[in-house]
Amino acid sequence: MLLDISEVINDSIGEIECVERVVSPRFFDDTTESGFVLVDMDARADSSTKVQLLFSKSKVYVHPTSSAKDNIPGYLALVRPKNASNTEVLLSWVPESSLAGSRDLDYYVKVDLEPPHAADEIGPSTNASNSRNTSGIREVLVSPPPRSSISSYAFSIPLSNIYSIQVRPPSFGWWWGSLILHTKTEETLPALFFHDSESQSTILQRKQRTKDFEPFANGDELFWGGEQFLQSLKNLAALETSTLEPSIMLVNPEPEDRRAFSPRSAKVQQPKEDPISKALKDVRWSILEKLARVTRLSRQVALDVIDKSPQSVKVLLNKPEVKKIGDDFDSAKVYLAKWALGIAEEAQRSRSKVVWNDGYEDIMGSAVGDFELLSVDYSIERRNEVGLAEWSAFFDHTGRLSLTVSEVKERIFHGGLAPAVRSQAWLFLLGVFPWDSDESQRRSILSEKRNEYYRLKGKWWNDTERQDDDFWKDQKSRIEKDVHRTDRNISIFSDSDTPHPDPESRFAETGTNLHLEQLKDLLITYNEYNVNLGYVQGMSDLLSPLYVVFQDDAIAFWAFCGFMKRMERNFLRDQSGMRQQLLSLDHLVQLMLPKLYVHFEKADSTHFFFFFRMLLVWYKREFEWDDVLRLWEVLWTDYLSSQFHLFVALAILDKNKDEIMEHYTQFDEILKYMNELSMKIDLEDTLVRAEILFTRFKKTVDMVDRKRAEQNNEDAAGQQEGLPKISDELRLLLSKEVIETKEVERPPNAGGG
Amino acid sequence: MQIWDTAGQERFQSLGVAFYRGADCCVLMYDVNNAKSFEALENWRDEFLIQANPRDPDSFPFVVIGNKIDVEDSKRAVSTKRAQAFCASKGNLPYFETSAKEATGVEQAFEVVARNALQQEDAQDFSQEYSDAININLDSDSSSCAC
Ligand SMILES: Nc1nc2c(ncn2[C@@H]2O[C@H](COP(=O)(O)OP(=O)(O)OP(=O)(O)O)[C@@H](O)[C@H]2O)c(=O)[nH]1
Ligand SMILES: [Mg+2]
């Protein structure tokens, strides 16, 4: 350690202009002199103009516009001019670019990475002239930072001119923590954003705290760059929190200020707190909790936690898994930060007193309009499929699940299942096995279910009267027709070399095979089992993959019944379930892909009928066989939403929207285009896209809700035209609860149609 | 020219609105070995007219096709005569018998379908400025529903 530091210092010795004295107790033994480096007497000569760098923090940004590409990184610094008192200490922001190539940069970096250890070490030096013999104090001299620069946004003001500092710790949705300086002269200074995830020093410190098991050492707040700055500032100035507005810290308040205990907000034109920040304040707890929980699970879990009620961080701290925050912590943070980038930019805007209705468009723009951008720097990882070994390891020796259901579902949602695992795992996903069952319970479930199926099948099989019924015959022939045209490219269904058992069948001449006959019997049994619904076209598509995976008719039947619980609404006689889903999709596209929606309106296509088949049989005809199995198991998890299939639709539209808008202006053209996507859709890409869209959707709904609540508070008259309506249909998309709608009682004489 | 095939089961017919509208010809197909499928033709035709809502329903070109004539005669359930009588009563609809399996009669049938469609399209172009003004959508459609 000692050697490293020396090397760094020696490297830069060449033409060093300043007196450098490093004794950082953390790295150096107090008894050694080796950290003492003294250089270049010439440099000392002009040290009179130099200032002492007391504090430096890297990756503090100015966001001049709402666009992330305009962000300017720099250093936030506290510097003491020669002989200056504490109130004359300068608070400076220096853009990286103006330090580039200069030797000062090294010092900013160094002071940032090795902050003076204890509070008193940056205390006022009584003898400002580089007292090199003071033990344990580092004095670093640099050129005075620019006072102000219009072109670079650099500024430097004495502490005496700072009236108050508005502090916004990082929080969910707001992401970057920021500081806003209110000056007594009403000079406008840019807000400073702490990009903690880029700042080496903040990362190091946070890791250290995690290691020391005190990530929230400063009260309940998550450690961040701004906090570190304030700690340093406290050694130079009295900071008092305003009781009126806890986010405001008064700097060296006068007695009158203190009496009022409030910033002269009118005078400094402290902007009215914008609705977003206000709303987000409430969320701070959940972000802490969320981050703290990110342990061995993926980032998506973090998002999931938002829904859950806040819990004391103290309790969390006692949990062993919190100790493992470490690196996951950072990755979750980066993930969330990127996610919320658009919002952070909006924050800057609303601070400069932009009214919400203007700002709204921006959020919507950045939240939903710019997908391509997002897909580049935002990665949702698809994971490996769950193999047999991993699956078995989910269970204890009694065969009971030793993970939470949500953990298993998360794993399946992001990775899918290996073929060998499916015949087990699907039974859980489809509700045949309760998640909390053990091995012996499952064994008895299987044997019961098997008997039950054969009983159900035997009932119609032996009932000649039933078989004479018109409805029954009609349904039977419909089933047979469909079975004979379902998945015949799959090997077990491809043969037709078995003579047909029924010479009256329309397939008597064509021949059949054992598996086709099994499918037929299964569907007839279902037709009898769920009398009100009966068999409807499309069901054969839903059954066939289950049959192939289980290779056991009785088990396939119960798995199919489980699947049908959620799919029943697709097949209702009045088609209300399909209409509802198409309507939800309509609303979703309106909100998330507004340009495309306008295009659809012009093309008379907002009934979204071209998604009918995709939604009806869950993309069975759109994807290759293996992909269908993967897609279904992902959808069965209901991990983000029980209607994730609609986000799959949204993803397909998102992927194809440019093509559609450019070339297809008529409904039939669009229908044809969509139909022809069949077998050309990349599943993994679609799933990632769907997840991103879901996340954005959820974010957008939250945002609109907060805005609306805010507007209601502020202005009873309500200025809500700018806000999109979040319909009940849309809200329902956030629910993980499966929607089960049963068909009404079959009217007498209702045919199979 | 585009040829669309619709789902068979009645409950999916509500989709027809989108598919039927703007059609220039409609093919009604049944299985000559299945009387029920023949008897359903009238229903399909009515449903089509309601949903497509063509300017002149009486002269809209339908073509009727009796399929699966390759199947043995003993299975035959609808005679050619019976089918022809039906077609005559509906305004002299062209009638064809085919076997998709053996590809008999299919080409002839579709030639007539295509010719009728082209004729219909021309006629519609002529009256385009009128029909454009009629806004047919899901809601307003129910008022014209005769069922
Ligand atoms: N023997 C024979 N069988 C045929 C012929 N045409 C179709 N089939 C068979 O009849 C069954 C149904 O054919 P489809 O063309 O799918 O019937 P459809 O009328 O489109 O049925 P829906 O889509 O339910 O409306 C299939 O098994 C075909 O192989 C034919 O000309 N001769
Ligand atoms: Mg068909």
Side-chain angles (χ1 to χ4, degrees), chain B residues 42-88:
Chain B
E42 179 144 21
N43 229 320
W44 280 102
R45 175 179 169 276
D46 293 347
E47 188 65 25
F48 176 88
L49 288 174
I50 289 164
Q51 298 201 2
N53 199 12
R55 273 171 42 81
D56 187 358
D58 291 335
S59 71
F60 188 87
F62 286 92
V63 172
V64 177
I65 300 178
N67 187 40
K68 298 204 195 180
I69 52 166
D70 57 283
V71 178
E72 55 182 293
D73 282 352
S74 64
K75 295 257 171 76
R76 181 98 186 202
V78 182
S79 67
T80 308
K81 243 194 198 147
R82 188 178 164 197
Q84 280 169 341
F86 168 79
C87 291

Side-chain angles (χ1 to χ4, degrees), chain A residues 537 571 575 609 671 752-753, chain B residues 2 4 9 11 15 18-19 72:
Chain A
Q537 285 192 331
F571 297 99
Q575 293 288 296
F609 278 178
L671 176 61
Chain B
Q2 293 171 13
W4 298 98
Q9 207 162 356
R11 74 186 63 190
L15 284 172
F19 296 89
E72 55 182 293

Side-chain angles (χ1 to χ4, degrees), chain A residues 478 506 509 535-537 571-573 575 607 609 612 667-668 671-672 675 752-753, chain B residues 2 4 7-12 14-15 18-19 21 36 68 71-72 75 101 138:
Chain A
R478 176 171 283 124
R506 66 164 98 194
E509 286 177 28
Y535 174 80
V536 182
Q537 285 192 331
F571 297 99
L572 303 181
R573 219 166 287 120
Q575 293 288 296
H607 44 61
F609 278 178
F612 193 93
F667 166 65
D668 56 353
L671 176 61
K672 184 161 177 281
N675 275 348
Chain B
Q2 293 171 13
W4 298 98
Q9 207 162 356
E10 284 103 87
R11 74 186 63 190
F12 297 124
S14 56
L15 284 172
F19 296 89
R21 189 160 12 114
K36 256 205 178 134
K68 298 204 195 180
V71 178
E72 55 182 293
K75 295 257 171 76
K101 189 180 178 188
L138 277 165

Side-chain angles (χ1 to χ4, degrees), chain A residues 492-517:
Chain A
I492 68 167
F493 298 131
S494 62
D495 296 341
S496 44
D497 47 12
T498 308
H500 201 284
D502 177 8
E504 290 302 307
S505 163
R506 66 164 98 194
F507 294 97
E509 286 177 28
T510 331
T512 182
N513 77 54
L514 177 74
H515 300 295
L516 294 179
E517 291 306 300

Side-chain angles (χ1 to χ4, degrees), chain A residues 360-376:
Chain A
Y360 173 69
E361 301 227 341
D362 246 44
I363 287 195
M364 295 310 284
S366 56
V368 298
D370 224 353
F371 188 76
E372 299 309 331
L373 179 85
L374 198 75
S375 60
V376 173

Side-chain angles (χ1 to χ4, degrees), chain A residues 73-138:
Chain A
Y75 285 85
L76 175 62
L78 290 168
V79 301
R80 186 189 296 281
K82 197 171 180 189
N83 296 326
S85 70
N86 280 355
T87 54
E88 290 162 334
V89 164
L90 299 172
L91 190 163
S92 311
W93 182 80
V94 190
E96 276 178 10
S97 59
S98 77
L99 291 171
S102 88
R103 290 176 212 96
D104 281 351
L105 180 59
D106 294 332
Y107 303 121
Y108 278 91
V109 170
K110 206 167 297 166
V111 171
D112 180 26
L113 286 174
E114 302 156 31
H117 194 57
D120 57 7
E121 286 169 17
I122 67 160
S125 84
T126 42
N127 175 4
S129 61
N130 302 325
S131 54
R132 283 183 267 126
N133 50 358
T134 321
S135 70
I137 299 175
R138 171 179 48 183

Side-chain angles (χ1 to χ4, degrees), chain A residues 36-302:
Chain A
F36 184 93
V37 181
L38 176 59
V39 278
D40 200 21
M41 301 310 280
D42 290 341
R44 294 185 64 201
D46 74 333
S47 67
S48 58
T49 64
K50 295 278 175 179
V51 296
Q52 188 189 350
L53 185 58
L54 306 172
F55 173 89
S56 154
K57 174 55 73 185
S58 60
K59 300 297 174 189
V60 177
Y61 279 67
V62 166
H63 296 177
T65 73
S66 65
S67 165
K69 67 179 193 307
D70 294 332
N71 293 350
I72 307 169
Y75 285 85
L76 175 62
L78 290 168
V79 301
R80 186 189 296 281
K82 197 171 180 189
N83 296 326
S85 70
N86 280 355
T87 54
E88 290 162 334
V89 164
L90 299 172
L91 190 163
S92 311
W93 182 80
V94 190
E96 276 178 10
S97 59
S98 77
L99 291 171
S102 88
R103 290 176 212 96
D104 281 351
L105 180 59
D106 294 332
Y107 303 121
Y108 278 91
V109 170
K110 206 167 297 166
V111 171
D112 180 26
L113 286 174
E114 302 156 31
H117 194 57
D120 57 7
E121 286 169 17
I122 67 160
S125 84
T126 42
N127 175 4
S129 61
N130 302 325
S131 54
R132 283 183 267 126
N133 50 358
T134 321
S135 70
I137 299 175
R138 171 179 48 183
E139 288 174 7
V140 179
L141 298 186
V142 293
S143 308
R147 282 255 146 184
S148 82
S149 157
I150 291 169
S151 60
S152 72
Y153 294 90
F155 67 84
S156 192
I157 55 164
L159 298 186
S160 59
N161 189 21
I162 300 177
Y163 184 79
S164 67
I165 301 176
Q166 196 172 349
V167 184
R168 298 162 189 259
S171 67
F172 185 63
W174 185 254
W175 196 260
W176 311 119
S178 64
L179 296 178
I180 302 155
L181 305 168
H182 299 296
T183 66
K184 289 176 180 163
T185 52
E186 296 185 28
E187 192 182 344
T188 309
L189 300 175
L192 301 172
F193 290 87
F194 291 74
H195 288 215
D196 289 336
S197 60
E198 298 164 32
S199 172
Q200 278 312 311
S201 62
T202 308
I203 292 169
L204 281 172
Q205 298 217 16
R206 190 174 284 158
K207 281 209 171 121
Q208 185 60 38
R209 276 161 195 262
T210 310
K211 218 184 283 163
D212 299 345
F213 202 42
E214 45 180 20
F216 304 101
N218 297 304
D220 287 339
E221 300 296 345
L222 170 65
F223 177 77
W224 64 292
E227 177 62 34
Q228 199 191 347
F229 168 76
L230 292 171
Q231 290 303 329
S232 295
L233 188 61
K234 273 183 187 152
N235 297 312
L236 300 166
L239 298 183
E240 286 182 23
T241 305
S242 156
T243 50
L244 292 184
E245 176 46 72
S247 73
I248 300 269
M249 303 204 99
L250 300 169
V251 180
N252 289 327
E254 300 290 325
E256 64 174 286
D257 298 328
R258 201 173 284 131
R259 231 174 292 122
F261 214 60
S262 155
R264 285 172 293 189
S265 50
K267 196 167 178 189
V268 296
Q269 284 200 318
Q270 181 224 328
K272 190 171 66 173
E273 192 184 13
D274 62 281
I276 305 184
S277 71
K278 218 167 168 186
L280 288 173
K281 242 184 234 154
D282 312 335
V283 189
R284 199 171 302 144
W285 275 100
S286 55
I287 182 76
L288 295 182
E289 188 188 33
K290 184 163 45 218
L291 290 175
R293 283 226 202 143
V294 176
T295 55
R296 72 208 135 112
L297 297 180
S298 82
R299 304 171 301 266
Q300 278 68 27
V301 173

